[in-house]
Amino acid sequence: MEWRVLTLFSVVVLDSVIARISYSIPEEMPRGSLVGYIAQDLSLEMKRFISGKARIYSRNTEEYMELNRERGVILVKERIDREALCAETTVCALDFQIILENPMEFYTVIIHITDINDNAPTFEKSEMTFRISELAVTETKFVLERAVDHDVEMNGVQRYELKPMDNFVLKVHNKADGNKNVEMVLQKPLDREKQEQINLVLTAVDGGEPQ
């Protein structure tokens, strides 16, 4: 009995076909959106696709993708929020298999989820207060809060603006981890008798369209 099981397994492996295909789609596509003509892209006849009872096999992506066997297409089953699915990692992808029977065939499908600019940069605090002596020397630095943007790459924070720039300038330092250190640097001596309070606006700008 053990010898027969091993023989059957070998036959299945020899008869099976392994291929790989990938698609790229933006996040937040509506339900029912077309991902790809999977039967056509795999060069499979529709007759074989239907008679082989083509289906999706996956441990974690069935809630996002569905297979329309009669049309031979992959469709979006549920809207995909890239940030919820992959946090802020640069690469985000779903992978699953298309399985056909008689004979058994396996096709690996990888769907890359690209980022759209659906998040604006935000600051944890709406206001920051600094108490600075009018005797403070120029080039004195004050660390400002970084903005958070859950989008990635160009859709993330690209630059900061500080206005007005009469007394202070903005310096941004890129860190090795991709984050930025934001500093306000005193460029002109302060005179409390002339101006007791200075109001500045710090703006974070992403690289999306629109920004």
mmCIF file of all heavy atoms in Angstrom, residues 106-135:
data_model
loop_
_atom_site.group_PDB
_atom_site.id
_atom_site.type_symbol
_atom_site.label_atom_id
_atom_site.label_comp_id
_atom_site.label_asym_id
_atom_site.label_seq_id
_atom_site.Cartn_x
_atom_site.Cartn_y
_atom_site.Cartn_z
ATOM 1 N N PHE A 106 -1.403 23.786 -11.705
ATOM 2 C CA PHE A 106 -1.250 24.851 -10.716
ATOM 3 C C PHE A 106 -0.646 26.080 -11.381
ATOM 4 O O PHE A 106 0.359 25.975 -12.084
ATOM 5 C CB PHE A 106 -0.326 24.403 -9.573
ATOM 6 C CG PHE A 106 -0.801 23.185 -8.836
ATOM 7 C CD1 PHE A 106 -0.442 21.912 -9.269
ATOM 8 C CD2 PHE A 106 -1.589 23.307 -7.708
ATOM 9 C CE1 PHE A 106 -0.861 20.778 -8.600
ATOM 10 C CE2 PHE A 106 -2.013 22.186 -7.021
ATOM 11 C CZ PHE A 106 -1.657 20.913 -7.463
ATOM 12 N N TYR A 107 -1.247 27.212 -11.134
ATOM 13 C CA TYR A 107 -0.708 28.473 -11.647
ATOM 14 C C TYR A 107 -0.633 29.476 -10.500
ATOM 15 O O TYR A 107 -1.638 29.746 -9.832
ATOM 16 C CB TYR A 107 -1.596 29.035 -12.761
ATOM 17 C CG TYR A 107 -1.710 28.115 -13.951
ATOM 18 C CD1 TYR A 107 -2.798 27.251 -14.086
ATOM 19 C CD2 TYR A 107 -0.727 28.104 -14.941
ATOM 20 C CE1 TYR A 107 -2.909 26.399 -15.173
ATOM 21 C CE2 TYR A 107 -0.833 27.251 -16.035
ATOM 22 C CZ TYR A 107 -1.920 26.409 -16.145
ATOM 23 O OH TYR A 107 -2.018 25.560 -17.230
ATOM 24 N N THR A 108 0.536 29.996 -10.267
ATOM 25 C CA THR A 108 0.728 30.982 -9.202
ATOM 26 C C THR A 108 0.439 32.381 -9.736
ATOM 27 O O THR A 108 0.934 32.764 -10.795
ATOM 28 C CB THR A 108 2.164 30.932 -8.654
ATOM 29 O OG1 THR A 108 2.406 29.638 -8.073
ATOM 30 C CG2 THR A 108 2.382 31.999 -7.593
ATOM 31 N N VAL A 109 -0.376 33.108 -8.999
ATOM 32 C CA VAL A 109 -0.743 34.473 -9.379
ATOM 33 C C VAL A 109 -0.280 35.429 -8.284
ATOM 34 O O VAL A 109 -0.561 35.208 -7.105
ATOM 35 C CB VAL A 109 -2.265 34.615 -9.587
ATOM 36 C CG1 VAL A 109 -2.613 36.041 -9.992
ATOM 37 C CG2 VAL A 109 -2.759 33.623 -10.631
ATOM 38 N N ILE A 110 0.420 36.460 -8.672
ATOM 39 C CA ILE A 110 0.867 37.499 -7.742
ATOM 40 C C ILE A 110 0.253 38.820 -8.176
ATOM 41 O O ILE A 110 0.389 39.216 -9.334
ATOM 42 C CB ILE A 110 2.397 37.607 -7.707
ATOM 43 C CG1 ILE A 110 3.020 36.279 -7.273
ATOM 44 C CG2 ILE A 110 2.839 38.733 -6.768
ATOM 45 C CD1 ILE A 110 4.529 36.259 -7.327
ATOM 46 N N ILE A 111 -0.412 39.480 -7.265
ATOM 47 C CA ILE A 111 -1.041 40.768 -7.561
ATOM 48 C C ILE A 111 -0.378 41.842 -6.709
ATOM 49 O O ILE A 111 -0.495 41.834 -5.481
ATOM 50 C CB ILE A 111 -2.553 40.722 -7.300
ATOM 51 C CG1 ILE A 111 -3.198 39.658 -8.196
ATOM 52 C CG2 ILE A 111 -3.177 42.085 -7.559
ATOM 53 C CD1 ILE A 111 -4.681 39.510 -8.005
ATOM 54 N N HIS A 112 0.336 42.736 -7.357
ATOM 55 C CA HIS A 112 1.006 43.828 -6.665
ATOM 56 C C HIS A 112 0.013 44.974 -6.451
ATOM 57 O O HIS A 112 -0.655 45.407 -7.385
ATOM 58 C CB HIS A 112 2.207 44.317 -7.465
ATOM 59 C CG HIS A 112 3.262 43.264 -7.662
ATOM 60 N ND1 HIS A 112 4.223 42.998 -6.712
ATOM 61 C CD2 HIS A 112 3.482 42.391 -8.684
ATOM 62 C CE1 HIS A 112 5.008 42.024 -7.140
ATOM 63 N NE2 HIS A 112 4.576 41.630 -8.334
ATOM 64 N N ILE A 113 -0.068 45.442 -5.217
ATOM 65 C CA ILE A 113 -0.984 46.527 -4.862
ATOM 66 C C ILE A 113 -0.175 47.818 -4.778
ATOM 67 O O ILE A 113 0.693 47.957 -3.916
ATOM 68 C CB ILE A 113 -1.696 46.258 -3.528
ATOM 69 C CG1 ILE A 113 -2.269 44.826 -3.488
ATOM 70 C CG2 ILE A 113 -2.776 47.301 -3.291
ATOM 71 C CD1 ILE A 113 -3.276 44.538 -4.561
ATOM 72 N N THR A 114 -0.451 48.745 -5.680
ATOM 73 C CA THR A 114 0.297 50.000 -5.694
ATOM 74 C C THR A 114 -0.426 51.062 -4.863
ATOM 75 O O THR A 114 -1.644 51.033 -4.706
ATOM 76 C CB THR A 114 0.496 50.516 -7.131
ATOM 77 O OG1 THR A 114 -0.788 50.731 -7.743
ATOM 78 C CG2 THR A 114 1.279 49.495 -7.947
ATOM 79 N N ASP A 115 0.351 51.983 -4.357
ATOM 80 C CA ASP A 115 -0.164 53.016 -3.472
ATOM 81 C C ASP A 115 -0.804 54.156 -4.260
ATOM 82 O O ASP A 115 -0.317 54.529 -5.333
ATOM 83 C CB ASP A 115 0.986 53.557 -2.614
ATOM 84 C CG ASP A 115 0.514 54.532 -1.553
ATOM 85 O OD1 ASP A 115 -0.505 54.242 -0.904
ATOM 86 O OD2 ASP A 115 1.168 55.573 -1.372
ATOM 87 N N ILE A 116 -1.895 54.702 -3.744
ATOM 88 C CA ILE A 116 -2.454 55.938 -4.271
ATOM 89 C C ILE A 116 -2.393 56.980 -3.154
ATOM 90 O O ILE A 116 -2.267 56.628 -1.973
ATOM 91 C CB ILE A 116 -3.910 55.768 -4.768
ATOM 92 C CG1 ILE A 116 -4.850 55.416 -3.600
ATOM 93 C CG2 ILE A 116 -3.991 54.721 -5.861
ATOM 94 C CD1 ILE A 116 -6.316 55.414 -3.980
ATOM 95 N N ASN A 117 -2.470 58.228 -3.517
ATOM 96 C CA ASN A 117 -2.333 59.297 -2.526
ATOM 97 C C ASN A 117 -3.660 59.539 -1.819
ATOM 98 O O ASN A 117 -4.331 60.539 -2.042
ATOM 99 C CB ASN A 117 -1.837 60.577 -3.209
ATOM 100 C CG ASN A 117 -1.405 61.616 -2.190
ATOM 101 O OD1 ASN A 117 -0.913 61.287 -1.122
ATOM 102 N ND2 ASN A 117 -1.607 62.887 -2.516
ATOM 103 N N ASP A 118 -4.027 58.590 -0.941
ATOM 104 C CA ASP A 118 -5.314 58.696 -0.250
ATOM 105 C C ASP A 118 -5.169 59.103 1.208
ATOM 106 O O ASP A 118 -6.134 59.065 1.972
ATOM 107 C CB ASP A 118 -6.087 57.376 -0.360
ATOM 108 C CG ASP A 118 -5.317 56.196 0.215
ATOM 109 O OD1 ASP A 118 -4.082 56.297 0.358
ATOM 110 O OD2 ASP A 118 -5.947 55.167 0.504
ATOM 111 N N ASN A 119 -3.959 59.493 1.607
ATOM 112 C CA ASN A 119 -3.730 59.980 2.968
ATOM 113 C C ASN A 119 -2.964 61.294 2.921
ATOM 114 O O ASN A 119 -2.006 61.435 2.151
ATOM 115 C CB ASN A 119 -2.920 58.965 3.787
ATOM 116 C CG ASN A 119 -3.706 57.697 4.069
ATOM 117 O OD1 ASN A 119 -4.588 57.673 4.922
ATOM 118 N ND2 ASN A 119 -3.402 56.640 3.333
ATOM 119 N N ALA A 120 -3.387 62.233 3.727
ATOM 120 C CA ALA A 120 -2.677 63.510 3.827
ATOM 121 C C ALA A 120 -1.720 63.469 5.013
ATOM 122 O O ALA A 120 -1.974 62.774 5.997
ATOM 123 C CB ALA A 120 -3.673 64.650 4.011
ATOM 124 N N PRO A 121 -0.603 64.198 4.924
ATOM 125 C CA PRO A 121 0.290 64.283 6.090
ATOM 126 C C PRO A 121 -0.447 64.921 7.268
ATOM 127 O O PRO A 121 -1.219 65.873 7.088
ATOM 128 C CB PRO A 121 1.431 65.186 5.600
ATOM 129 C CG PRO A 121 1.375 65.115 4.114
ATOM 130 C CD PRO A 121 -0.082 64.950 3.775
ATOM 131 N N THR A 122 -0.229 64.406 8.452
ATOM 132 C CA THR A 122 -0.873 64.955 9.643
ATOM 133 C C THR A 122 0.148 65.097 10.768
ATOM 134 O O THR A 122 1.126 64.347 10.840
ATOM 135 C CB THR A 122 -2.025 64.062 10.130
ATOM 136 O OG1 THR A 122 -1.513 62.748 10.426
ATOM 137 C CG2 THR A 122 -3.124 63.955 9.084
ATOM 138 N N PHE A 123 -0.087 66.062 11.639
ATOM 139 C CA PHE A 123 0.732 66.248 12.835
ATOM 140 C C PHE A 123 -0.065 65.792 14.045
ATOM 141 O O PHE A 123 -1.280 66.008 14.118
ATOM 142 C CB PHE A 123 1.115 67.723 13.006
ATOM 143 C CG PHE A 123 2.041 68.250 11.951
ATOM 144 C CD1 PHE A 123 1.542 68.945 10.861
ATOM 145 C CD2 PHE A 123 3.409 68.043 12.047
ATOM 146 C CE1 PHE A 123 2.393 69.428 9.885
ATOM 147 C CE2 PHE A 123 4.265 68.530 11.073
ATOM 148 C CZ PHE A 123 3.764 69.222 9.993
ATOM 149 N N GLU A 124 0.623 65.177 14.988
ATOM 150 C CA GLU A 124 -0.056 64.711 16.199
ATOM 151 C C GLU A 124 -0.604 65.892 16.987
ATOM 152 O O GLU A 124 -1.693 65.821 17.556
ATOM 153 C CB GLU A 124 0.916 63.898 17.060
ATOM 154 C CG GLU A 124 0.281 63.326 18.314
ATOM 155 C CD GLU A 124 1.239 62.476 19.124
ATOM 156 O OE1 GLU A 124 2.330 62.164 18.622
ATOM 157 O OE2 GLU A 124 0.896 62.145 20.276
ATOM 158 N N LYS A 125 0.163 66.985 17.022
ATOM 159 C CA LYS A 125 -0.265 68.186 17.728
ATOM 160 C C LYS A 125 -0.580 69.285 16.724
ATOM 161 O O LYS A 125 0.132 69.451 15.739
ATOM 162 C CB LYS A 125 0.827 68.668 18.688
ATOM 163 C CG LYS A 125 1.230 67.660 19.751
ATOM 164 C CD LYS A 125 2.378 68.208 20.592
ATOM 165 C CE LYS A 125 2.836 67.202 21.640
ATOM 166 N NZ LYS A 125 4.000 67.710 22.420
ATOM 167 N N SER A 126 -1.625 70.035 17.005
ATOM 168 C CA SER A 126 -1.980 71.145 16.113
ATOM 169 C C SER A 126 -1.205 72.411 16.457
ATOM 170 O O SER A 126 -1.190 73.368 15.672
ATOM 171 C CB SER A 126 -3.482 71.424 16.196
ATOM 172 O OG SER A 126 -3.847 71.784 17.525
ATOM 173 N N GLU A 127 -0.556 72.412 17.625
ATOM 174 C CA GLU A 127 0.177 73.601 18.048
ATOM 175 C C GLU A 127 1.366 73.216 18.904
ATOM 176 O O GLU A 127 1.287 72.309 19.730
ATOM 177 C CB GLU A 127 -0.759 74.532 18.829
ATOM 178 C CG GLU A 127 -0.136 75.858 19.249
ATOM 179 C CD GLU A 127 -1.151 76.771 19.922
ATOM 180 O OE1 GLU A 127 -2.192 77.056 19.298
ATOM 181 O OE2 GLU A 127 -0.898 77.172 21.073
ATOM 182 N N MET A 128 2.487 73.906 18.709
ATOM 183 C CA MET A 128 3.681 73.730 19.530
ATOM 184 C C MET A 128 4.104 75.096 20.053
ATOM 185 O O MET A 128 4.042 76.098 19.326
ATOM 186 C CB MET A 128 4.828 73.112 18.720
ATOM 187 C CG MET A 128 4.581 71.704 18.235
ATOM 188 S SD MET A 128 6.015 71.014 17.360
ATOM 189 C CE MET A 128 7.164 70.812 18.731
ATOM 190 N N THR A 129 4.537 75.146 21.301
ATOM 191 C CA THR A 129 4.929 76.411 21.920
ATOM 192 C C THR A 129 6.382 76.334 22.382
ATOM 193 O O THR A 129 6.788 75.367 23.037
ATOM 194 C CB THR A 129 4.032 76.734 23.124
ATOM 195 O OG1 THR A 129 2.664 76.800 22.689
ATOM 196 C CG2 THR A 129 4.429 78.063 23.756
ATOM 197 N N PHE A 130 7.169 77.340 22.023
ATOM 198 C CA PHE A 130 8.559 77.451 22.469
ATOM 199 C C PHE A 130 8.715 78.759 23.244
ATOM 200 O O PHE A 130 8.254 79.809 22.780
ATOM 201 C CB PHE A 130 9.521 77.451 21.273
ATOM 202 C CG PHE A 130 9.567 76.166 20.512
ATOM 203 C CD1 PHE A 130 8.752 75.963 19.410
ATOM 204 C CD2 PHE A 130 10.422 75.139 20.906
ATOM 205 C CE1 PHE A 130 8.789 74.775 18.717
ATOM 206 C CE2 PHE A 130 10.464 73.947 20.213
ATOM 207 C CZ PHE A 130 9.647 73.754 19.116
ATOM 208 N N ARG A 131 9.355 78.693 24.388
ATOM 209 C CA ARG A 131 9.674 79.900 25.154
ATOM 210 C C ARG A 131 11.171 80.175 24.948
ATOM 211 O O ARG A 131 12.015 79.444 25.447
ATOM 212 C CB ARG A 131 9.341 79.716 26.626
ATOM 213 C CG ARG A 131 7.857 79.436 26.860
ATOM 214 C CD ARG A 131 7.513 79.355 28.338
ATOM 215 N NE ARG A 131 6.119 79.036 28.538
ATOM 216 C CZ ARG A 131 5.127 79.925 28.501
ATOM 217 N NH1 ARG A 131 5.399 81.197 28.272
ATOM 218 N NH2 ARG A 131 3.876 79.550 28.690
ATOM 219 N N ILE A 132 11.460 81.217 24.206
ATOM 220 C CA ILE A 132 12.834 81.495 23.783
ATOM 221 C C ILE A 132 13.271 82.856 24.325
ATOM 222 O O ILE A 132 12.553 83.857 24.171
ATOM 223 C CB ILE A 132 12.939 81.498 22.248
ATOM 224 C CG1 ILE A 132 12.370 80.191 21.674
ATOM 225 C CG2 ILE A 132 14.380 81.690 21.804
ATOM 226 C CD1 ILE A 132 12.269 80.186 20.161
ATOM 227 N N SER A 133 14.427 82.893 24.926
ATOM 228 C CA SER A 133 14.974 84.160 25.437
ATOM 229 C C SER A 133 15.388 85.047 24.272
ATOM 230 O O SER A 133 15.888 84.561 23.249
ATOM 231 C CB SER A 133 16.179 83.884 26.335
ATOM 232 O OG SER A 133 16.857 85.086 26.633
ATOM 233 N N GLU A 134 15.194 86.349 24.428
ATOM 234 C CA GLU A 134 15.635 87.256 23.378
ATOM 235 C C GLU A 134 17.158 87.293 23.282
ATOM 236 O O GLU A 134 17.713 87.831 22.328
ATOM 237 C CB GLU A 134 15.090 88.663 23.617
ATOM 238 C CG GLU A 134 15.598 89.343 24.880
ATOM 239 C CD GLU A 134 15.072 90.764 25.028
ATOM 240 O OE1 GLU A 134 14.601 91.336 24.019
ATOM 241 O OE2 GLU A 134 15.117 91.285 26.159
ATOM 242 N N LEU A 135 17.833 86.715 24.269
ATOM 243 C CA LEU A 135 19.283 86.630 24.247
ATOM 244 C C LEU A 135 19.784 85.372 23.521
ATOM 245 O O LEU A 135 20.994 85.155 23.445
ATOM 246 C CB LEU A 135 19.837 86.644 25.681
ATOM 247 C CG LEU A 135 19.499 87.892 26.521
ATOM 248 C CD1 LEU A 135 20.064 87.753 27.923
ATOM 249 C CD2 LEU A 135 20.046 89.152 25.843
#
